[in-house]
Amino acid sequence: MILGIGTDLANIDRVQGVLDRFGDRFRDRVFTPTEQRKAIHRAKVDGGEASTYAKRWAAKEACSKALGTGLRMGIAWKDMAVTNLRTGQPIMVVTGWAAERLETMTPAGHETVIHVSLTDDHPWAQAFVVIEARPIA
């Protein structure tokens, strides 16, 4: 059963402007060390630091919408983190208040899966998040 759906669109050039203006202050406020390592790697490979951050920004916004809260009620940017499986598939890891909110949304006898889809086509980055509850077998 679907518990929540969220989507967001971010402008890569706008994110680049924020990076240029605030640098590490922005990175450290919004992104986990794992997300920052991914962006540093993408910057070295193809100059994609801003697009990497824009996709993750959009994913955090989309996740907060799927949780039914938006970025309020105590949720913090770092409570939602995008990582990747070895296959490259993005996944969302929630901690703190986001994890607490997810737990209250989850029906008894179910486990949750957070599905994430990311894409970018300059100057846009987009994310979709679907929170699914599956019966525990």
Side-chain angles (χ1 to χ4, degrees):
M1 113 186 38
I2 294 175
L3 300 179
I5 300 172
T7 185
D8 196 66
L9 186 67
N11 185 290
I12 297 167
D13 293 334
R14 183 171 176 223
V15 170
Q16 183 62 61
V18 174
L19 287 166
D20 292 344
R21 184 169 180 198
F22 298 104
D24 286 341
R25 198 166 114 204
F26 170 66
R27 288 178 188 93
D28 293 340
R29 179 173 179 237
V30 176
F31 301 100
T32 65
T34 300
E35 291 172 311
Q36 290 182 40
R37 282 191 298 276
K38 176 74 170 184
I40 289 166
H41 173 73
R42 295 306 317 161
K44 290 177 182 175
V45 171
D46 62 11
E49 180 186 25
S51 65
T52 299
Y53 282 130
K55 286 184 281 192
R56 278 148 181 76
W57 173 281
K60 290 168 187 267
E61 287 274 6
C63 184
S64 72
K65 292 171 185 175
L67 288 168
T69 63
L71 286 163
R72 58 183 177 161
M73 296 175 60
I75 200 165
W77 288 106
K78 290 186 187 179
D79 285 349
M80 303 165 288
V82 178
T83 62
N84 296 85
L85 299 177
R86 286 181 178 246
T87 61
Q89 176 185 349
I91 60 170
M92 180 69 67
V93 177
V94 293
T95 58
W97 192 89
E100 292 172 20
R101 171 69 179 155
L102 184 61
E103 186 176 330
T104 65
M105 293 171 59
T106 306
H110 288 73
E111 62 184 357
T112 55
V113 178
I114 303 175
H115 303 277
V116 180
S117 181
L118 305 174
T119 191
D120 65 289
D121 186 8
H122 193 87
W124 300 107
Q126 187 172 31
F128 288 94
V129 171
V130 176
I131 301 175
E132 175 188 14
R134 295 179 181 167
I136 297 172

